[in-house]
Amino acid sequence: MTKWVYVFGEGRTEGAAEMRNLLGGKGANLAEMCRLGLPVPPGFTVTTEVCTHYYQNERRYPEELKEQIAQALKAVGELTGKTFGDTSNPLLLSVRSGARVSMPGMMDTVLNLGLNDVTVRALAEQSGDERFAYDSYRRFIQMYSDVVLGVDNDYFEEIIEDIKDEKDYTLDTDLTAEDWKVCVDAFKAKVKEELGRDFPDDPQEQLWGAVSAVFQSWMIPRAQTYRKIHSIPEEWGTAVNVQAMVYGNMGEGSATGVAFTRNPATGENALYGEFLVNAQGEDVVAGIRTPQDISEAARIASGSEKPSLEAIMPEVFQQFQATCNKLEVHYREMQDLEFTVERGKLWMLQTRTGKRTLKAALKIAVEMADEGLISKEEAVLRIDPGSLDQLLHPTIDPAAERDELTTGLPASPGAASGAIVFNPDEAEAEKADGKAVILVRTETSPEDIHGMHASEGILTSRGGMTSHAAVVARGMGKPCVSGAGGIRVDMQRQVMLVDGRTFKKGDIITIDGSSGQVLAGRAKMLQPELSGDFQKLMEWADGLRRMRVRANAETPTDVKTALSFGAEGIGLCRTEHMFFDGDRILAVREMILSDTEEERREALAKLLPMQRDDFTQIFELMEDRPVTIRLLDPPLHEFLPKTEDEIGEVARQMNVDAEDLKERALELEEFNPMLGNRGCRLLISFPEIAEMQARAIFEAAAEVSRRRGVSVKPEVMVPLVGLRSELDFVRDRIEAVAKEIETEQSVKLDYTIGTMIELPRAALRAEEIAGSAEFFSFGTNDLTQTTFGISRDDAASFLGTYQERKILEKDPFVSLDTNGVGELIEIAAERGRKRRGDIKLGICGEHGGDPASIAFCETIGLNYVSCSPFRVPVARLAAAQAALKAKG
């Protein structure tokens, strides 16, 4: 019989940390904490396999589940001395989700389950606090109605506000036991009004409703959006964790809080967290009350006058600090913890690997390696290569003028400017139009996830450092300022009010997630310096990787950027990008539209010195590092004059009739230019182009080699080859030019000639082509286009639908299709090596900066990957991780 339920508590546990896939992250870690002897409220976990069964069987449960849950409830009752549903000594429960990876706030939770009009009186008698009991009861009705029954939470908040207004109260904590009784009756009446039926008072019905709600929340839009953003497979499912309730709202000797064993924003090795006295867990992250610092050091640093946990509950604090240390050493990772203190007794509700900013992740990984807690290899493996993009977020120039509006909490570092939007749908729409926006909210909720993802940064008027906005923004690498109490967000009027000033949708503001500042207007930004922990980790990565990392670059600015990020060469210098400037485009158009070779050579003669200067500048910067230069490879139509003014300008330059020139341009137009006269076809049609470019390359190489005393070794790449005979033809022209220059300048040039593999035929005939090519560079952008028969310029119109309908898991232009396109690359690599054992193999499409694609390149033994300059750090780390994983 399949085991669907695992019990834990009081040192007893049927699970363990390594059972994450089955028990979910929360369930596995609760079991592990029990195994370590830590104080965990007893409970049980319903496995992720139940979730899978639930969705595969028309939302029905396995037959054995009901009996297994009944036995688990009995076991928990024995551990607590209480009975679920008992009218005099009731066991009350929390029901929470728990996927195998943390999805903070994405799925639903129900607390205080098991309360009804009878058991609430028993709770009041047991606790000696009637107000606490009815406060817990109204929380249960409010949460259950929202999560399970689908009654809008705003109805309940309005009822509470009406009572507060009537009694002239300021805070929820001002309400008395009698007030909460009135509130409970009003809540239940509202449920009946909305649903036409009573609020369920049977604890068993309540439990199964809550369990079903958690499983159903796996498929709600915000959870689906989160999974899509973080690449979490739908089939993983979620577990359900059912635990005995412990109460942090049982008077002044009780509290609840969240904490990190190290600072999640900076990585500092110091306890970091917040708590509230006499509160339940959701109060801390909801932002309704201002939380207090856990340690005295943190309180002093924040300037808070509210006492710390260390000050008001010193024994509990010491026990909690020892627990934190024990868990961090056990898991060898920074932990994110939830805890409750019930009348002086500490209970641990959760531990999980803490989400942190990249800056913090780097510091923690490097320091843990230096401390000997983990190895350098583990440190390298712990950083998500894709997250390195966060380092490239700008910061505000210290010298910039700042029109400061207010200051909030520095919840997630980095700075961003953008137009104000007030709801997540607007953010997504503006992002789709190419606009940078800042999402401004009173506080964010899990429903805002798509808008947060679309925004440059997030600003909230409420919430602490562990609020939803702060945690999610840090995970996304987005700047965030939370708890900016100086601003008021008026959703009705769609304005932000601050210090007598009004800002509407579309107004530009800047937020600094490192200082908490909110500024009017767009502030001047600086790019960050990549040093310290980043540099140290990257040095470790460089020592571990096998593949080299190059950059795609063709301007001095690109080359300098690439070198600053650690590029070891240029894997793709696109020469056509050099031809679109004003003077050059005229000469190119003149060359293309000429009727004779002589006229074409005259036009190319104008381009030669410009092209030679381009390569000279690049070789000066690169010195003896490899530089792969791709000969001209644009579709012809990109250069043809389009407007009457452009045609007239070229006609004057060539001294020909504009109408004749217009006719010539029309003759050269193609129905499908991406598959037309481009690449090597253009070089065969006009070999003088290849000759001019070869001369520019070799003259620049000779000059820089001579002047700088270095050995410049250009790699000349012929594009779009499908036949060896095409490569042979162009190669002959290149070699002829090289010999001319060697004779003219009495030099010996050191160069190689290769080709870009971007056609399926070239991949299949790689053995033959390798007879003429000294290197292959896989142009995966075009290879993906020609393999799928998809234009990447038009693919966006349907690829999103393909992914939604699970026809394709990923966009093949973003992450390499390893089965189809990848197989062609593997075939070409194998056949190329068969003909030429020392052939150099690399990849230079956009996939060269994608970690999953880089991992594939490692498995087939490519020599290098090449990517955009800003992706070089990503590629360096991904290549190291791929090498480590390949070793097992």
Side-chain angles (χ1 to χ4, degrees), residues 103 233 308 341 428 551 799 814:
M103 295 172 61
S308 65
V341 180
E428 202 166 46
L799 280 184
V814 174

Side-chain angles (χ1 to χ4, degrees), residues 260-272 295 297 321 324-325 328-329 333-335 359-360 363-371 373 533:
F260 297 84
T261 56
R262 303 193 188 210
N263 188 309
T266 66
E268 179 190 2
N269 190 0
L271 193 59
Y272 175 97
S295 69
Q321 191 169 47
C324 289
N325 293 338
E328 182 173 281
V329 170
E333 179 61 289
M334 183 262 270
Q335 294 296 292
K359 178 182 177 182
K363 187 175 187 65
I364 291 166
V366 168
E367 288 191 354
M368 283 189 168
D370 287 341
E371 292 164 12
L373 199 57
D533 296 319

